[in-house]
Amino acid sequence: TLIVLLPFIGAVLPAIMIRAGRNACATATGSVTLLALILLMAKAPAVIAGEVFQVSYSWLPELGLNVTFFLDGLGLLFATLILGIGLLIIIYARFYLSKDDPMGRFYVFLLLFQGAMVGIVLSDNILLLLIFWELTSLSSFLLIGYWKHLPAGRQGARMALAVTGAGGLAMIAGPHAMAAPTPVSAYLHSATMVKAGIFLMARMWPVLSGTPEWFYIVATAGLVTMVLGAWIAIFKHDLKGLLAFSTVSHLGLVTMLLGFGTPMAAVAGVFHIINHATFKAALFMTAGIIDHETGTRDIRRFGGLLNLMPIAGTIGIITAASMAGVIPFNGFISKEMMLEEAWHT
């Protein structure tokens, strides 16, 4: 319960601590996420050993409705991604946001969004999951529209609210988060909002998979999404736009794997979720560094940039190689597993 509630409770801290300075604000925000992560890691050994933790509070007992949280292997994985990458994003945002950006407000929105996402992955019933899902819609609207003076930010926020508000697996259309500040884009694309639909499919997989309908609908949708996302990305000149549509493609890949309905395909899908979270967060933050230092995201103007930005360039090359599935990086392993399962299927 504390793991879910800490980000919500802690959201008041950045609003207060910003008066003590930007470092104090970032430290207070990071401390909230770190504490939630420590509480989660304390349960990790037992969960990995097969134990499931559950806590329930009476809500509407006459209707059989309770507020119930539970922590199993899948919840542990997603909660670790949300809190772990969230902590890195908080540190990154401290140096990314300019002095003109209201940092306290940014961190308030970030913690509210973080709490909603942790609530989704630790919910033990569909109604509670839907409540947190709607909180995700509202908080992502605030995050993506953080730069409200920019038309792209306002449009992206409206699109995200419309799509997530419509609910369901249409949440995959959340790559419009690329209009947001880079820390938001990195967080939403790697660990949180665009993965919520994938989490829901993975959570429902034991019940719904194994039928012809599941296979034909989910695997086909995933395959089409994977190909279309990659095709559109080829023609993008905006670095964040290119990464956003590659996210669409990778989520299609994971959806296709879950659609196959076999246990090893599900394992490959979950493994690729981990891989995608690591390399996509790094790539988006690298894109933010480039944009911050050069004032442009047009990849046609980046010739020779490696000589001027060797550290960011090296990180970009390594993470892009992982995304492309180059040996010996983790992206290669999960893509090989995907091809193996596709062949058997």
Side-chain angles (χ1 to χ4, degrees), residues 4-55:
V4 176
L5 293 182
L6 265 172
F8 290 111
I9 298 168
V12 301
L13 286 179
I16 298 169
M17 295 301 293
I18 191 62
R19 297 176 184 177
R22 294 163 67 86
N23 286 335
C25 182
T27 302
T29 308
S31 299
V32 171
T33 302
L34 179 61
L35 181 56
L37 185 60
I38 290 170
L39 291 175
L40 182 69
M41 290 298 100
K43 300 289 186 185
V47 173
I48 292 169
E51 191 174 343
V52 175
F53 293 93
Q54 190 173 43
V55 60

Side-chain angles (χ1 to χ4, degrees), residues 42-88:
K43 300 289 186 185
V47 173
I48 292 169
E51 191 174 343
V52 175
F53 293 93
Q54 190 173 43
V55 60
S56 184
Y57 306 95
S58 182
W59 181 18
L60 296 172
E62 63 274 11
L63 297 179
L65 295 178
N66 296 311
V67 175
T68 309
F69 299 111
F70 87 125
L71 180 64
D72 65 346
L74 188 66
L76 175 67
L77 167 64
F78 275 86
T80 302
L81 289 176
I82 293 163
L83 294 172
I85 294 181
L87 184 60
L88 298 177

Side-chain angles (χ1 to χ4, degrees), residues 10-303:
V12 301
L13 286 179
I16 298 169
M17 295 301 293
I18 191 62
R19 297 176 184 177
R22 294 163 67 86
N23 286 335
C25 182
T27 302
T29 308
S31 299
V32 171
T33 302
L34 179 61
L35 181 56
L37 185 60
I38 290 170
L39 291 175
L40 182 69
M41 290 298 100
K43 300 289 186 185
V47 173
I48 292 169
E51 191 174 343
V52 175
F53 293 93
Q54 190 173 43
V55 60
S56 184
Y57 306 95
S58 182
W59 181 18
L60 296 172
E62 63 274 11
L63 297 179
L65 295 178
N66 296 311
V67 175
T68 309
F69 299 111
F70 87 125
L71 180 64
D72 65 346
L74 188 66
L76 175 67
L77 167 64
F78 275 86
T80 302
L81 289 176
I82 293 163
L83 294 172
I85 294 181
L87 184 60
L88 298 177
I89 295 295
I90 289 165
I91 298 168
Y92 179 90
R94 160 62 188 89
F95 301 98
Y96 179 86
L97 296 174
S98 73
K99 292 182 180 179
D100 297 327
D101 293 321
M103 180 180 283
R105 190 175 73 193
F106 176 84
Y107 281 141
V108 168
F109 295 163
L110 191 73
L111 285 177
L112 290 175
F113 177 77
Q114 187 180 93
M117 282 302 308
V118 173
I120 285 177
V121 301
L122 298 186
S123 294
D124 193 24
N125 61 64
I126 296 296
L127 185 63
L128 190 61
L129 187 148
L130 285 172
I131 290 170
F132 282 113
W133 193 292
E134 293 308 317
L135 287 174
T136 303
S137 301
L138 294 171
S139 51
S140 63
F141 170 79
L142 295 172
L143 269 179
I144 296 170
Y146 173 72
W147 278 341
K148 56 180 182 288
H149 60 283
L150 298 178
R154 295 195 299 270
Q155 169 62 17
R158 286 194 297 267
M159 176 63 76
L161 185 63
V163 170
T164 56
L169 302 180
M171 207 167 191
I172 210 166
H176 276 269
M178 66 187 178
T182 296
V184 178
S185 303
Y187 198 29
L188 269 58
H189 278 264
S190 64
T192 53
M193 188 179 77
V194 298
K195 292 260 190 350
I198 295 291
F199 169 80
L200 189 58
M201 278 191 287
R203 180 58 85 205
M204 300 297 180
W205 186 88
V207 180
L208 299 177
S209 66
T211 64
E213 293 81 4
W214 172 271
F215 171 76
Y216 285 113
I217 294 171
V218 178
T220 303
L223 178 60
V224 171
T225 303
M226 180 175 72
V227 174
L228 279 179
W231 178 257
I232 295 170
I234 291 172
F235 300 99
K236 290 292 178 181
H237 302 303
D238 182 294
L239 186 56
K240 282 173 69 174
L242 187 156
L243 292 174
F245 279 99
S246 80
T247 295
V248 173
S249 182
H250 282 271
L251 295 183
L253 185 154
V254 175
T255 301
M256 182 181 70
L257 282 166
L258 293 174
F260 288 164
T262 64
M264 272 311 296
V267 169
V270 172
F271 182 43
H272 194 71
I273 288 170
I274 301 170
N275 296 340
H276 181 261
T278 53
F279 60 64
K280 190 53 64 73
L283 282 168
F284 260 107
M285 288 193 274
T286 302
I289 293 169
I290 293 170
D291 187 18
H292 196 274
E293 297 302 307
T294 66
T296 181
R297 298 202 303 258
D298 190 336
I299 61 174
R300 295 170 294 185
R301 302 181 62 189
F302 290 163

